[in-house]
Amino acid sequence: MSAPDGVEIRAYRSGDEEAIVRGFRATFGVERTVEEWRWSFPPLGGAPTVEVAFDALGELVAHYAAIPVAMQSRGRELLAGQVVDVFTRRKLGLFRRRGLLTRTIESFVARHCGPGRIELLFGFPSLRAAALGRTTGVYPAEGGVGRWTRPTSGAGARLGWRRSLQRGWDRTALDQLWSEAGPRYGLSAIRGAAWFHWRYLARPRREYLQFGVRRRGRTRAWGVVALAPERARWVDLLWDGDDDGDLALLAGEARRLAAESGAREVELWLSGDVSAAAVLAELGWHREVHPDLRLVARSFTPALTDREIVARLYVTLGDSDLV
């Protein structure tokens, strides 16, 4: 689709990734390899769900993309899109409803979203980008992101006589845990073994520690930690909700692993699980609304309103592209 300003807005074509990676680096100041880009955007229906805008000189001037995410909502499976890597090289008219970036977004929506395609979009933009979404109407609903922190000092995992810890990705244990824990979540990425493999084992240039808690022969809770100096990140959490002690042990192990690596604090994102939030609060974790980011959503299915997505979506750091 060409516009009067000489910009062509279209779907991704093979070979565009080189220009996309350059544009990402110029916009965000972050190095990303083509291999990482391919991991981020597995093909959906033969091609990545990516919309690009090129000017008359062949330069990439805008980009909008979503990572396909298999979700479940009250027993129904649906396809969602995690919005990432939104940028434009033309800032003039950024907050206009027919500005270049908004046109690129709407071209993406027309091509990829709707019944039988991507049924909801969600993302975690900065405050400024969220304001753009409000002004232009591309994101009809937004809310806060729950960020939990706790110092690692005094960390220690208490096993008890019924519980044990396990390490490393475990297909059977994770699929079984998801089958039992999944119904607890009103709206969530399908966090079975395939999720934990793709998100944490297959990702290039990143390392994560996966661990679980077993009780009476079954895996009851699962966590993923990304270690870093000063602040470690408890990236993912899956819990069957059966016994608070299982989550308490998982939280203690996350803090212990972080302390061993030299981190002084652990950060966890958690929204959409009231029971887990109550346990963490009882354990002394501190909650705040993330000061720099917002959760935004847009629905393309009558089964979910925009506001329901924001209110019900189960969120951890693993649902973002920030770690």
Side-chain angles (χ1 to χ4, degrees), residues 2-37:
S2 295
D5 55 7
V7 174
E8 180 188 17
I9 300 174
R10 59 169 175 79
Y12 160 88
R13 295 174 187 164
S14 180
D16 286 343
E17 54 267 35
E18 296 288 352
I20 293 170
V21 168
R22 289 196 303 271
F24 181 86
R25 180 174 60 246
T27 302
F28 301 106
V30 176
E31 291 289 340
R32 174 191 281 170
T33 66
V34 171
E35 181 187 20
E36 288 177 287
W37 182 88

PDB file of all heavy atoms in Angstrom, residues 2-37:
ATOM      1  N   SER A   2       0.846   2.017  -1.089  1.00  0.00           N
ATOM      2  CA  SER A   2       1.635   3.236  -1.182  1.00  0.00           C
ATOM      3  C   SER A   2       0.786   4.437  -0.813  1.00  0.00           C
ATOM      4  O   SER A   2      -0.416   4.472  -1.064  1.00  0.00           O
ATOM      5  CB  SER A   2       2.192   3.409  -2.602  1.00  0.00           C
ATOM      6  OG  SER A   2       3.108   2.362  -2.892  1.00  0.00           O
ATOM      7  N   ALA A   3       1.413   5.423  -0.198  1.00  0.00           N
ATOM      8  CA  ALA A   3       0.718   6.622   0.253  1.00  0.00           C
ATOM      9  C   ALA A   3       1.251   7.828  -0.504  1.00  0.00           C
ATOM     10  O   ALA A   3       2.289   7.777  -1.165  1.00  0.00           O
ATOM     11  CB  ALA A   3       0.921   6.793   1.756  1.00  0.00           C
ATOM     12  N   PRO A   4       0.535   8.974  -0.399  1.00  0.00           N
ATOM     13  CA  PRO A   4       0.999  10.194  -1.080  1.00  0.00           C
ATOM     14  C   PRO A   4       2.396  10.623  -0.646  1.00  0.00           C
ATOM     15  O   PRO A   4       3.090  11.319  -1.401  1.00  0.00           O
ATOM     16  CB  PRO A   4      -0.054  11.229  -0.677  1.00  0.00           C
ATOM     17  CG  PRO A   4      -1.275  10.434  -0.381  1.00  0.00           C
ATOM     18  CD  PRO A   4      -0.783   9.149   0.219  1.00  0.00           C
ATOM     19  N   ASP A   5       2.813  10.252   0.561  1.00  0.00           N
ATOM     20  CA  ASP A   5       4.155  10.645   0.999  1.00  0.00           C
ATOM     21  C   ASP A   5       5.235   9.719   0.458  1.00  0.00           C
ATOM     22  O   ASP A   5       6.395   9.806   0.857  1.00  0.00           O
ATOM     23  CB  ASP A   5       4.219  10.696   2.530  1.00  0.00           C
ATOM     24  CG  ASP A   5       3.792   9.385   3.187  1.00  0.00           C
ATOM     25  OD1 ASP A   5       3.581   8.390   2.466  1.00  0.00           O
ATOM     26  OD2 ASP A   5       3.667   9.362   4.423  1.00  0.00           O
ATOM     27  N   GLY A   6       4.868   8.818  -0.445  1.00  0.00           N
ATOM     28  CA  GLY A   6       5.853   7.953  -1.070  1.00  0.00           C
ATOM     29  C   GLY A   6       6.254   6.758  -0.239  1.00  0.00           C
ATOM     30  O   GLY A   6       7.189   6.036  -0.608  1.00  0.00           O
ATOM     31  N   VAL A   7       5.561   6.502   0.843  1.00  0.00           N
ATOM     32  CA  VAL A   7       5.877   5.373   1.720  1.00  0.00           C
ATOM     33  C   VAL A   7       5.017   4.176   1.346  1.00  0.00           C
ATOM     34  O   VAL A   7       3.801   4.295   1.151  1.00  0.00           O
ATOM     35  CB  VAL A   7       5.641   5.744   3.200  1.00  0.00           C
ATOM     36  CG1 VAL A   7       5.820   4.529   4.094  1.00  0.00           C
ATOM     37  CG2 VAL A   7       6.600   6.853   3.612  1.00  0.00           C
ATOM     38  N   GLU A   8       5.656   3.024   1.236  1.00  0.00           N
ATOM     39  CA  GLU A   8       4.939   1.769   0.980  1.00  0.00           C
ATOM     40  C   GLU A   8       4.813   0.997   2.286  1.00  0.00           C
ATOM     41  O   GLU A   8       5.820   0.645   2.901  1.00  0.00           O
ATOM     42  CB  GLU A   8       5.667   0.917  -0.052  1.00  0.00           C
ATOM     43  CG  GLU A   8       4.942  -0.396  -0.339  1.00  0.00           C
ATOM     44  CD  GLU A   8       5.734  -1.342  -1.219  1.00  0.00           C
ATOM     45  OE1 GLU A   8       6.961  -1.150  -1.350  1.00  0.00           O
ATOM     46  OE2 GLU A   8       5.125  -2.295  -1.758  1.00  0.00           O
ATOM     47  N   ILE A   9       3.592   0.730   2.708  1.00  0.00           N
ATOM     48  CA  ILE A   9       3.329  -0.071   3.896  1.00  0.00           C
ATOM     49  C   ILE A   9       2.889  -1.448   3.423  1.00  0.00           C
ATOM     50  O   ILE A   9       1.930  -1.569   2.639  1.00  0.00           O
ATOM     51  CB  ILE A   9       2.236   0.571   4.769  1.00  0.00           C
ATOM     52  CG1 ILE A   9       2.671   1.965   5.222  1.00  0.00           C
ATOM     53  CG2 ILE A   9       1.934  -0.306   5.980  1.00  0.00           C
ATOM     54  CD1 ILE A   9       1.583   2.737   5.972  1.00  0.00           C
ATOM     55  N   ARG A  10       3.570  -2.470   3.902  1.00  0.00           N
ATOM     56  CA  ARG A  10       3.288  -3.822   3.412  1.00  0.00           C
ATOM     57  C   ARG A  10       3.677  -4.863   4.446  1.00  0.00           C
ATOM     58  O   ARG A  10       4.272  -4.555   5.488  1.00  0.00           O
ATOM     59  CB  ARG A  10       4.059  -4.073   2.114  1.00  0.00           C
ATOM     60  CG  ARG A  10       5.569  -3.926   2.251  1.00  0.00           C
ATOM     61  CD  ARG A  10       6.284  -4.442   1.013  1.00  0.00           C
ATOM     62  NE  ARG A  10       7.722  -4.219   1.032  1.00  0.00           N
ATOM     63  CZ  ARG A  10       8.596  -4.948   1.706  1.00  0.00           C
ATOM     64  NH1 ARG A  10       8.185  -5.960   2.495  1.00  0.00           N
ATOM     65  NH2 ARG A  10       9.906  -4.676   1.651  1.00  0.00           N
ATOM     66  N   ALA A  11       3.367  -6.109   4.148  1.00  0.00           N
ATOM     67  CA  ALA A  11       3.776  -7.218   5.002  1.00  0.00           C
ATOM     68  C   ALA A  11       5.258  -7.509   4.810  1.00  0.00           C
ATOM     69  O   ALA A  11       5.863  -7.161   3.782  1.00  0.00           O
ATOM     70  CB  ALA A  11       2.958  -8.464   4.661  1.00  0.00           C
ATOM     71  N   TYR A  12       5.842  -8.129   5.807  1.00  0.00           N
ATOM     72  CA  TYR A  12       7.239  -8.576   5.729  1.00  0.00           C
ATOM     73  C   TYR A  12       7.451  -9.441   4.495  1.00  0.00           C
ATOM     74  O   TYR A  12       6.599 -10.261   4.124  1.00  0.00           O
ATOM     75  CB  TYR A  12       7.567  -9.381   6.995  1.00  0.00           C
ATOM     76  CG  TYR A  12       8.762 -10.291   6.837  1.00  0.00           C
ATOM     77  CD1 TYR A  12      10.052  -9.823   7.107  1.00  0.00           C
ATOM     78  CD2 TYR A  12       8.608 -11.606   6.422  1.00  0.00           C
ATOM     79  CE1 TYR A  12      11.160 -10.663   6.951  1.00  0.00           C
ATOM     80  CE2 TYR A  12       9.698 -12.450   6.267  1.00  0.00           C
ATOM     81  CZ  TYR A  12      10.974 -11.974   6.529  1.00  0.00           C
ATOM     82  OH  TYR A  12      12.050 -12.807   6.377  1.00  0.00           O
ATOM     83  N   ARG A  13       8.621  -9.255   3.875  1.00  0.00           N
ATOM     84  CA  ARG A  13       9.087 -10.124   2.799  1.00  0.00           C
ATOM     85  C   ARG A  13      10.453 -10.683   3.167  1.00  0.00           C
ATOM     86  O   ARG A  13      11.223 -10.032   3.877  1.00  0.00           O
ATOM     87  CB  ARG A  13       9.190  -9.357   1.485  1.00  0.00           C
ATOM     88  CG  ARG A  13       7.870  -8.844   0.936  1.00  0.00           C
ATOM     89  CD  ARG A  13       8.108  -7.977  -0.280  1.00  0.00           C
ATOM     90  NE  ARG A  13       6.876  -7.326  -0.727  1.00  0.00           N
ATOM     91  CZ  ARG A  13       6.858  -6.295  -1.559  1.00  0.00           C
ATOM     92  NH1 ARG A  13       8.002  -5.814  -2.061  1.00  0.00           N
ATOM     93  NH2 ARG A  13       5.703  -5.757  -1.926  1.00  0.00           N
ATOM     94  N   SER A  14      10.733 -11.856   2.686  1.00  0.00           N
ATOM     95  CA  SER A  14      12.026 -12.477   2.962  1.00  0.00           C
ATOM     96  C   SER A  14      13.170 -11.530   2.595  1.00  0.00           C
ATOM     97  O   SER A  14      13.182 -10.962   1.493  1.00  0.00           O
ATOM     98  CB  SER A  14      12.154 -13.779   2.164  1.00  0.00           C
ATOM     99  OG  SER A  14      13.406 -14.390   2.420  1.00  0.00           O
ATOM    100  N   GLY A  15      14.083 -11.339   3.520  1.00  0.00           N
ATOM    101  CA  GLY A  15      15.200 -10.419   3.325  1.00  0.00           C
ATOM    102  C   GLY A  15      15.037  -9.109   4.069  1.00  0.00           C
ATOM    103  O   GLY A  15      16.021  -8.393   4.289  1.00  0.00           O
ATOM    104  N   ASP A  16      13.801  -8.790   4.488  1.00  0.00           N
ATOM    105  CA  ASP A  16      13.566  -7.551   5.234  1.00  0.00           C
ATOM    106  C   ASP A  16      14.252  -7.559   6.590  1.00  0.00           C
ATOM    107  O   ASP A  16      14.464  -6.487   7.181  1.00  0.00           O
ATOM    108  CB  ASP A  16      12.065  -7.333   5.460  1.00  0.00           C
ATOM    109  CG  ASP A  16      11.332  -6.903   4.212  1.00  0.00           C
ATOM    110  OD1 ASP A  16      11.995  -6.469   3.252  1.00  0.00           O
ATOM    111  OD2 ASP A  16      10.082  -6.997   4.210  1.00  0.00           O
ATOM    112  N   GLU A  17      14.580  -8.748   7.104  1.00  0.00           N
ATOM    113  CA  GLU A  17      15.112  -8.817   8.470  1.00  0.00           C
ATOM    114  C   GLU A  17      16.397  -8.029   8.658  1.00  0.00           C
ATOM    115  O   GLU A  17      16.654  -7.508   9.749  1.00  0.00           O
ATOM    116  CB  GLU A  17      15.320 -10.272   8.908  1.00  0.00           C
ATOM    117  CG  GLU A  17      16.171 -11.105   7.989  1.00  0.00           C
ATOM    118  CD  GLU A  17      15.350 -11.870   6.963  1.00  0.00           C
ATOM    119  OE1 GLU A  17      14.314 -11.360   6.498  1.00  0.00           O
ATOM    120  OE2 GLU A  17      15.775 -12.983   6.609  1.00  0.00           O
ATOM    121  N   GLU A  18      17.214  -7.907   7.626  1.00  0.00           N
ATOM    122  CA  GLU A  18      18.450  -7.136   7.754  1.00  0.00           C
ATOM    123  C   GLU A  18      18.126  -5.660   8.031  1.00  0.00           C
ATOM    124  O   GLU A  18      18.713  -5.034   8.921  1.00  0.00           O
ATOM    125  CB  GLU A  18      19.292  -7.266   6.487  1.00  0.00           C
ATOM    126  CG  GLU A  18      19.793  -8.679   6.192  1.00  0.00           C
ATOM    127  CD  GLU A  18      20.895  -9.117   7.140  1.00  0.00           C
ATOM    128  OE1 GLU A  18      21.381  -8.277   7.925  1.00  0.00           O
ATOM    129  OE2 GLU A  18      21.275 -10.306   7.089  1.00  0.00           O
ATOM    130  N   ALA A  19      17.198  -5.105   7.287  1.00  0.00           N
ATOM    131  CA  ALA A  19      16.791  -3.709   7.512  1.00  0.00           C
ATOM    132  C   ALA A  19      16.100  -3.556   8.861  1.00  0.00           C
ATOM    133  O   ALA A  19      16.274  -2.540   9.554  1.00  0.00           O
ATOM    134  CB  ALA A  19      15.877  -3.253   6.382  1.00  0.00           C
ATOM    135  N   ILE A  20      15.323  -4.560   9.269  1.00  0.00           N
ATOM    136  CA  ILE A  20      14.619  -4.502  10.552  1.00  0.00           C
ATOM    137  C   ILE A  20      15.610  -4.498  11.703  1.00  0.00           C
ATOM    138  O   ILE A  20      15.478  -3.710  12.654  1.00  0.00           O
ATOM    139  CB  ILE A  20      13.631  -5.679  10.673  1.00  0.00           C
ATOM    140  CG1 ILE A  20      12.502  -5.533   9.658  1.00  0.00           C
ATOM    141  CG2 ILE A  20      13.067  -5.760  12.088  1.00  0.00           C
ATOM    142  CD1 ILE A  20      11.610  -6.753   9.536  1.00  0.00           C
ATOM    143  N   VAL A  21      16.612  -5.358  11.638  1.00  0.00           N
ATOM    144  CA  VAL A  21      17.618  -5.415  12.699  1.00  0.00           C
ATOM    145  C   VAL A  21      18.381  -4.097  12.787  1.00  0.00           C
ATOM    146  O   VAL A  21      18.659  -3.586  13.876  1.00  0.00           O
ATOM    147  CB  VAL A  21      18.572  -6.603  12.465  1.00  0.00           C
ATOM    148  CG1 VAL A  21      19.791  -6.513  13.375  1.00  0.00           C
ATOM    149  CG2 VAL A  21      17.842  -7.928  12.706  1.00  0.00           C
ATOM    150  N   ARG A  22      18.706  -3.497  11.641  1.00  0.00           N
ATOM    151  CA  ARG A  22      19.385  -2.198  11.650  1.00  0.00           C
ATOM    152  C   ARG A  22      18.485  -1.126  12.256  1.00  0.00           C
ATOM    153  O   ARG A  22      18.937  -0.290  13.045  1.00  0.00           O
ATOM    154  CB  ARG A  22      19.800  -1.793  10.222  1.00  0.00           C
ATOM    155  CG  ARG A  22      20.937  -2.596   9.640  1.00  0.00           C
ATOM    156  CD  ARG A  22      21.529  -1.885   8.420  1.00  0.00           C
ATOM    157  NE  ARG A  22      20.520  -1.622   7.390  1.00  0.00           N
ATOM    158  CZ  ARG A  22      20.202  -2.465   6.415  1.00  0.00           C
ATOM    159  NH1 ARG A  22      20.813  -3.643   6.339  1.00  0.00           N
ATOM    160  NH2 ARG A  22      19.293  -2.153   5.503  1.00  0.00           N
ATOM    161  N   GLY A  23      17.217  -1.123  11.873  1.00  0.00           N
ATOM    162  CA  GLY A  23      16.288  -0.144  12.415  1.00  0.00           C
ATOM    163  C   GLY A  23      16.087  -0.304  13.910  1.00  0.00           C
ATOM    164  O   GLY A  23      15.985   0.687  14.646  1.00  0.00           O
ATOM    165  N   PHE A  24      16.033  -1.554  14.379  1.00  0.00           N
ATOM    166  CA  PHE A  24      15.899  -1.822  15.807  1.00  0.00           C
ATOM    167  C   PHE A  24      17.101  -1.275  16.570  1.00  0.00           C
ATOM    168  O   PHE A  24      16.951  -0.627  17.609  1.00  0.00           O
ATOM    169  CB  PHE A  24      15.771  -3.337  16.016  1.00  0.00           C
ATOM    170  CG  PHE A  24      15.606  -3.750  17.454  1.00  0.00           C
ATOM    171  CD1 PHE A  24      14.351  -3.785  18.032  1.00  0.00           C
ATOM    172  CD2 PHE A  24      16.706  -4.117  18.220  1.00  0.00           C
ATOM    173  CE1 PHE A  24      14.184  -4.178  19.362  1.00  0.00           C
ATOM    174  CE2 PHE A  24      16.556  -4.506  19.542  1.00  0.00           C
ATOM    175  CZ  PHE A  24      15.290  -4.529  20.106  1.00  0.00           C
ATOM    176  N   ARG A  25      18.300  -1.504  16.033  1.00  0.00           N
ATOM    177  CA  ARG A  25      19.514  -1.013  16.685  1.00  0.00           C
ATOM    178  C   ARG A  25      19.540   0.518  16.716  1.00  0.00           C
ATOM    179  O   ARG A  25      19.860   1.113  17.750  1.00  0.00           O
ATOM    180  CB  ARG A  25      20.745  -1.545  15.953  1.00  0.00           C
ATOM    181  CG  ARG A  25      22.073  -1.072  16.564  1.00  0.00           C
ATOM    182  CD  ARG A  25      23.263  -1.731  15.893  1.00  0.00           C
ATOM    183  NE  ARG A  25      23.322  -1.447  14.469  1.00  0.00           N
ATOM    184  CZ  ARG A  25      23.178  -2.350  13.504  1.00  0.00           C
ATOM    185  NH1 ARG A  25      22.927  -3.609  13.794  1.00  0.00           N
ATOM    186  NH2 ARG A  25      23.261  -1.999  12.240  1.00  0.00           N
ATOM    187  N   ALA A  26      19.181   1.142  15.622  1.00  0.00           N
ATOM    188  CA  ALA A  26      19.195   2.611  15.565  1.00  0.00           C
ATOM    189  C   ALA A  26      18.154   3.228  16.499  1.00  0.00           C
ATOM    190  O   ALA A  26      18.382   4.292  17.079  1.00  0.00           O
ATOM    191  CB  ALA A  26      18.954   3.071  14.127  1.00  0.00           C
ATOM    192  N   THR A  27      17.022   2.554  16.681  1.00  0.00           N
ATOM    193  CA  THR A  27      15.939   3.097  17.495  1.00  0.00           C
ATOM    194  C   THR A  27      16.161   2.857  18.980  1.00  0.00           C
ATOM    195  O   THR A  27      16.002   3.774  19.804  1.00  0.00           O
ATOM    196  CB  THR A  27      14.592   2.481  17.078  1.00  0.00           C
ATOM    197  OG1 THR A  27      14.362   2.754  15.689  1.00  0.00           O
ATOM    198  CG2 THR A  27      13.452   3.045  17.913  1.00  0.00           C
ATOM    199  N   PHE A  28      16.523   1.619  19.332  1.00  0.00           N
ATOM    200  CA  PHE A  28      16.589   1.235  20.745  1.00  0.00           C
ATOM    201  C   PHE A  28      18.011   1.131  21.295  1.00  0.00           C
ATOM    202  O   PHE A  28      18.193   0.951  22.501  1.00  0.00           O
ATOM    203  CB  PHE A  28      15.869  -0.103  20.954  1.00  0.00           C
ATOM    204  CG  PHE A  28      14.417  -0.073  20.557  1.00  0.00           C
ATOM    205  CD1 PHE A  28      13.989  -0.697  19.395  1.00  0.00           C
ATOM    206  CD2 PHE A  28      13.481   0.604  21.328  1.00  0.00           C
ATOM    207  CE1 PHE A  28      12.647  -0.672  19.019  1.00  0.00           C
ATOM    208  CE2 PHE A  28      12.142   0.641  20.965  1.00  0.00           C
ATOM    209  CZ  PHE A  28      11.725   0.007  19.805  1.00  0.00           C
ATOM    210  N   GLY A  29      19.006   1.235  20.418  1.00  0.00           N
ATOM    211  CA  GLY A  29      20.388   1.147  20.873  1.00  0.00           C
ATOM    212  C   GLY A  29      20.778  -0.217  21.381  1.00  0.00           C
ATOM    213  O   GLY A  29      21.695  -0.352  22.206  1.00  0.00           O
ATOM    214  N   VAL A  30      20.110  -1.255  20.899  1.00  0.00           N
ATOM    215  CA  VAL A  30      20.344  -2.626  21.350  1.00  0.00           C
ATOM    216  C   VAL A  30      20.760  -3.476  20.154  1.00  0.00           C
ATOM    217  O   VAL A  30      20.128  -3.417  19.090  1.00  0.00           O
ATOM    218  CB  VAL A  30      19.082  -3.222  22.002  1.00  0.00           C
ATOM    219  CG1 VAL A  30      19.302  -4.683  22.372  1.00  0.00           C
ATOM    220  CG2 VAL A  30      18.687  -2.412  23.230  1.00  0.00           C
ATOM    221  N   GLU A  31      21.813  -4.254  20.344  1.00  0.00           N
ATOM    222  CA  GLU A  31      22.257  -5.157  19.291  1.00  0.00           C
ATOM    223  C   GLU A  31      21.402  -6.421  19.301  1.00  0.00           C
ATOM    224  O   GLU A  31      21.184  -7.028  20.339  1.00  0.00           O
ATOM    225  CB  GLU A  31      23.732  -5.545  19.495  1.00  0.00           C
ATOM    226  CG  GLU A  31      24.713  -4.404  19.269  1.00  0.00           C
ATOM    227  CD  GLU A  31      24.819  -4.021  17.803  1.00  0.00           C
ATOM    228  OE1 GLU A  31      24.455  -4.851  16.939  1.00  0.00           O
ATOM    229  OE2 GLU A  31      25.259  -2.894  17.525  1.00  0.00           O
ATOM    230  N   ARG A  32      20.917  -6.802  18.150  1.00  0.00           N
ATOM    231  CA  ARG A  32      20.167  -8.047  18.001  1.00  0.00           C
ATOM    232  C   ARG A  32      20.636  -8.738  16.738  1.00  0.00           C
ATOM    233  O   ARG A  32      20.767  -8.108  15.685  1.00  0.00           O
ATOM    234  CB  ARG A  32      18.667  -7.767  17.919  1.00  0.00           C
ATOM    235  CG  ARG A  32      17.839  -9.006  17.621  1.00  0.00           C
ATOM    236  CD  ARG A  32      16.406  -8.670  17.291  1.00  0.00           C
ATOM    237  NE  ARG A  32      15.640  -8.410  18.484  1.00  0.00           N
ATOM    238  CZ  ARG A  32      14.409  -7.915  18.454  1.00  0.00           C
ATOM    239  NH1 ARG A  32      13.850  -7.604  17.313  1.00  0.00           N
ATOM    240  NH2 ARG A  32      13.744  -7.725  19.578  1.00  0.00           N
ATOM    241  N   THR A  33      20.874 -10.026  16.830  1.00  0.00           N
ATOM    242  CA  THR A  33      21.288 -10.781  15.663  1.00  0.00           C
ATOM    243  C   THR A  33      20.065 -11.197  14.855  1.00  0.00           C
ATOM    244  O   THR A  33      18.941 -11.224  15.356  1.00  0.00           O
ATOM    245  CB  THR A  33      22.068 -12.037  16.076  1.00  0.00           C
ATOM    246  OG1 THR A  33      21.180 -12.934  16.771  1.00  0.00           O
ATOM    247  CG2 THR A  33      23.242 -11.689  16.982  1.00  0.00           C
ATOM    248  N   VAL A  34      20.305 -11.530  13.596  1.00  0.00           N
ATOM    249  CA  VAL A  34      19.224 -12.048  12.761  1.00  0.00           C
ATOM    250  C   VAL A  34      18.681 -13.350  13.345  1.00  0.00           C
ATOM    251  O   VAL A  34      17.476 -13.621  13.278  1.00  0.00           O
ATOM    252  CB  VAL A  34      19.715 -12.236  11.314  1.00  0.00           C
ATOM    253  CG1 VAL A  34      18.668 -12.974  10.476  1.00  0.00           C
ATOM    254  CG2 VAL A  34      20.037 -10.884  10.672  1.00  0.00           C
ATOM    255  N   GLU A  35      19.564 -14.137  13.943  1.00  0.00           N
ATOM    256  CA  GLU A  35      19.118 -15.385  14.581  1.00  0.00           C
ATOM    257  C   GLU A  35      18.115 -15.097  15.699  1.00  0.00           C
ATOM    258  O   GLU A  35      17.088 -15.779  15.821  1.00  0.00           O
ATOM    259  CB  GLU A  35      20.329 -16.133  15.153  1.00  0.00           C
ATOM    260  CG  GLU A  35      19.966 -17.457  15.825  1.00  0.00           C
ATOM    261  CD  GLU A  35      21.158 -18.086  16.534  1.00  0.00           C
ATOM    262  OE1 GLU A  35      22.131 -17.365  16.842  1.00  0.00           O
ATOM    263  OE2 GLU A  35      21.087 -19.299  16.799  1.00  0.00           O
ATOM    264  N   GLU A  36      18.388 -14.074  16.507  1.00  0.00           N
ATOM    265  CA  GLU A  36      17.452 -13.700  17.568  1.00  0.00           C
ATOM    266  C   GLU A  36      16.135 -13.200  16.976  1.00  0.00           C
ATOM    267  O   GLU A  36      15.059 -13.499  17.514  1.00  0.00           O
ATOM    268  CB  GLU A  36      18.067 -12.612  18.451  1.00  0.00           C
ATOM    269  CG  GLU A  36      19.178 -13.096  19.359  1.00  0.00           C
ATOM    270  CD  GLU A  36      19.787 -11.955  20.139  1.00  0.00           C
ATOM    271  OE1 GLU A  36      20.516 -11.151  19.522  1.00  0.00           O
ATOM    272  OE2 GLU A  36      19.531 -11.868  21.354  1.00  0.00           O
ATOM    273  N   TRP A  37      16.213 -12.444  15.894  1.00  0.00           N
ATOM    274  CA  TRP A  37      14.998 -11.954  15.260  1.00  0.00           C
ATOM    275  C   TRP A  37      14.152 -13.123  14.779  1.00  0.00           C
ATOM    276  O   TRP A  37      12.927 -13.139  14.983  1.00  0.00           O
ATOM    277  CB  TRP A  37      15.351 -11.042  14.085  1.00  0.00           C
ATOM    278  CG  TRP A  37      14.145 -10.471  13.415  1.00  0.00           C
ATOM    279  CD1 TRP A  37      13.490  -9.317  13.749  1.00  0.00           C
ATOM    280  CD2 TRP A  37      13.417 -11.039  12.326  1.00  0.00           C
ATOM    281  NE1 TRP A  37      12.403  -9.151  12.924  1.00  0.00           N
ATOM    282  CE2 TRP A  37      12.335 -10.181  12.042  1.00  0.00           C
ATOM    283  CE3 TRP A  37      13.588 -12.194  11.552  1.00  0.00           C
ATOM    284  CZ2 TRP A  37      11.434 -10.436  11.022  1.00  0.00           C
ATOM    285  CZ3 TRP A  37      12.677 -12.459  10.538  1.00  0.00           C
ATOM    286  CH2 TRP A  37      11.622 -11.572  10.278  1.00  0.00           C
TER     287      TRP A  37
END
